[in-house]
Structure formats: C-alpha cells, structure tokens
Amino acid sequence: MGEIALLGLEFYGRHGVRPEEGRLGARFVVDLWLRVPFEGRGDRLEETVDYAAVYALVEEVVRHRRFYLIEALADHLAEALLQAFPRLEGVRVRVHKPHAPIPGVFRDVYAETEKVRS
C-alpha cells in the first residue's frame, strides 16, 4: 500500500468555541496522509489521487465551514476525503491550531484521526 503525504496546508478559518474565534478567525494547518494502492499501476493520474483536488476540498471545508472543535473538523475532513476519492483506502488527518486560546506557552495543539474504507 502506498502513502502520499500533503503536509503543512495552511488556511485561514473561523473554528473554535469562543465567539471571537468565529468573528476574528485564525490560521489552521492541515497534514494529510493518503493511503493509495499506486504500486505497479502505471504513470497516469487516474491511477492515484489528484493532489490539487484534495487541496481544493480541504481548502473549501477549512475556509468556508465552521466547527467548534478541531476534532470535529479533522473527522469531517477524513470522511469527506474518503467519500470524494474512491481510490483512497485510508486517510490520516491532523488539524493544527497553532494559536489556540490557551493561557500559557505552547508550541502546537492538534487533533488527529485515521479512517479506513470499510
């Protein structure tokens, strides 16, 4: 099973439980690991997953939907990717919220989920 990684996809979104997070928004970073059976399949786009289409789907969700929890955003992205791309056997999604409203010093906060096609 092959794996394709798209790392560090950055978007401005309005996710969070606090009203100001919905009003002001913040930067979110998404990492994806896509399990695709591409070995021995040839050298055509139809044999894998179109990265540009994956990026467009993630951008649409992160920029234009609102989630209170990054956990829910990660789960939704995983489901949407599996539904939109039948060649995917599985997906791991990590959503970072580097500017989470936490009173203290921290490097990163993220939620991660992994789903496989049933």
Side-chain angles (χ1 to χ4, degrees):
M1 180 65 56
E3 184 173 84
I4 299 166
L6 283 78
L7 305 175
L9 286 65
E10 296 192 26
F11 307 101
Y12 185 83
R14 299 177 183 277
H15 312 290
V17 297
R18 297 189 173 158
E20 61 270 17
E21 291 177 293
R23 262 192 342 273
L24 301 174
R27 181 173 64 98
F28 293 85
V29 181
V30 177
D31 298 325
L32 305 172
W33 292 267
L34 310 173
R35 289 181 28 203
V36 182
F38 59 76
E39 296 95 334
R41 302 279 178 130
D43 193 21
R44 297 179 337 186
L45 183 58
E46 296 79 26
E47 301 299 333
T48 188
V49 176
D50 182 344
Y51 318 148
V54 169
Y55 183 95
L57 183 150
V58 173
E59 178 181 32
E60 177 65 26
V61 171
V62 177
R63 290 187 62 220
H64 300 293
R65 296 274 315 261
R66 169 100 198 270
F67 292 89
Y68 292 109
L69 304 174
I70 59 172
E71 296 90 324
L73 173 56
D75 185 65
H76 180 83
L77 286 170
E79 290 290 338
L81 287 164
L82 286 173
Q83 184 176 9
F85 301 98
R87 301 259 326 134
L88 285 178
E89 298 267 330
V91 62
R92 182 164 45 121
V93 176
R94 182 181 292 171
V95 176
H96 301 262
K97 188 173 183 177
H99 302 291
I102 297 173
V105 178
F106 65 97
R107 181 172 301 168
D108 194 12
V109 173
Y110 69 81
E112 180 175 300
T113 188
E114 186 168 354
K115 295 186 182 260
V116 294
R117 188 172 301 287
S118 53

